[in-house]
Amino acid sequence: MPTTIGIIGAMDEEIALLLQGIEGQEQVMQSGISFVKGRFHGKEVVVCKSGVGKVNAAITTQILIDRFDIGAVWFTGVAGALDPGLNIGDIVISSSCQQHDMDCSPLGFSRGIIPFQETSDFPADPGFIKLAEEACSRVCKEQGYVIGRVLSGDQFIADSEKVRLLHETMGGACVEMEGAAIGQVCYTNSVPYVILRSMSDKADGTADVNFAEFTVSASKRSFEIVEDMIRHFEAS
């Protein structure tokens, strides 16, 4: 059977262009979340807005898997750059996702480690990573992209010292507020996933200047990548 792709964004701007392109739309409401089913470039998709933060992301992802029999989860949106080599507009494709605000270090666990759990750094699907990388090579003519760890936490990072620490101690390429929750839910349910993030700011205190200005353009770039991925996606 064809695989249905679940596509999540945290904000309206991150899914607006996708919603415009869905044919045969059917809206399903559950737990206050709008799930829009239909076909996009001939592929079955369900597009939804999770809202901001890890709990919202986890709820949305589990509903996608349970109710819509999703075989793939892609998250598209914006993030703050941690890798000093990244510029605004560049893309991060998740190699894995981890929570940076999971900190049980007083109990002897390294930061980011979920106590008494086998996995805390949730790997993205290699096939989707490759699909995203190929899409970036076709679409991102003026922007760079990297494959790297996405760090997530229920915090808006806007401090250059925190940026340095997250990059150096946890190996993060970018920081945002949803990816690790999505990764954990997908890992637990054995559903392949990938996170795509366009850099809207440098997570260094200038976000109040950069974020609003670049969110729309960064979301457009993320949409173009997802659109290309859908065009070239072949269900197993």
Side-chain angles (χ1 to χ4, degrees):
M1 294 178 61
T3 296
T4 300
I5 308 166
I7 305 174
I8 309 172
M11 301 182 295
D12 288 324
E13 296 90 340
E14 295 170 334
I15 62 169
L17 293 173
L18 281 166
L19 291 175
Q20 290 176 19
I22 295 178
E23 298 177 347
Q25 291 193 16
E26 176 188 348
Q27 184 185 49
V28 177
M29 294 295 299
Q30 182 165 333
S31 303
I33 304 165
S34 170
F35 298 87
V36 179
K37 301 170 57 178
R39 296 181 67 82
F40 192 82
H41 293 300
K43 311 295 169 55
E44 296 290 337
V45 299
V46 180
V47 176
C48 56
K49 181 184 75 171
S50 64
V52 174
K54 293 185 298 179
V55 174
N56 283 328
I59 291 169
T60 302
T61 306
Q62 193 64 59
I63 292 172
L64 270 175
I65 293 169
D66 288 344
R67 179 154 184 178
F68 299 98
D69 195 25
I70 296 299
V73 173
W74 301 349
F75 189 99
T76 176
V78 299
L82 296 175
D83 185 332
L86 287 169
N87 295 308
I88 292 173
D90 289 348
I91 303 296
V92 173
I93 303 166
S94 64
S95 57
S96 65
C97 293
Q98 190 170 13
Q99 298 179 65
H100 69 77
D101 61 350
M102 173 61 69
D103 188 359
C104 293
S105 53
L107 300 178
F109 297 93
S110 299
R111 183 174 181 177
I113 298 299
I114 304 170
F116 318 117
Q117 184 164 297
E118 179 183 5
T119 302
S120 300
D121 187 24
F122 303 100
D125 179 74
F128 291 164
I129 294 172
K130 181 180 179 182
L131 186 65
E133 186 176 17
E134 291 171 348
C136 285
S137 69
R138 288 186 288 262
V139 172
C140 301
K141 301 300 183 182
E142 298 179 2
Q143 287 78 37
Y145 67 89
V146 300
I147 300 169
R149 180 176 292 149
V150 173
L151 297 182
S152 308
D154 289 325
Q155 305 166 0
F156 195 101
I157 303 300
D159 178 88
S160 57
E161 180 61 17
K162 289 182 179 179
V163 167
R164 183 186 68 81
L165 287 172
L166 289 174
H167 178 61
E168 293 181 0
T169 64
M170 297 190 69
C174 70
V175 63
E176 37 88 294
M177 301 176 73
E178 295 84 27
I182 291 167
Q184 183 171 348
V185 172
C186 287
Y187 180 86
T188 302
N189 288 274
S190 299
V191 173
Y193 86 97
V194 72
I195 307 294
L196 305 167
R197 290 292 193 175
S198 181
M199 301 302 100
S200 62
D201 61 89
K202 302 279 281 186
D204 59 0
T206 60
D208 57 334
V209 177
N210 293 337
F211 189 78
E213 180 180 353
F214 287 98
T215 293
V216 174
S217 60
S219 296
K220 181 176 184 295
R221 193 168 297 111
S222 295
F223 161 76
E224 291 170 348
I225 295 167
V226 170
E227 181 180 37
D228 187 271
M229 290 173 65
I230 292 173
R231 287 181 184 273
H232 293 87
F233 175 75
E234 296 181 5
S236 58

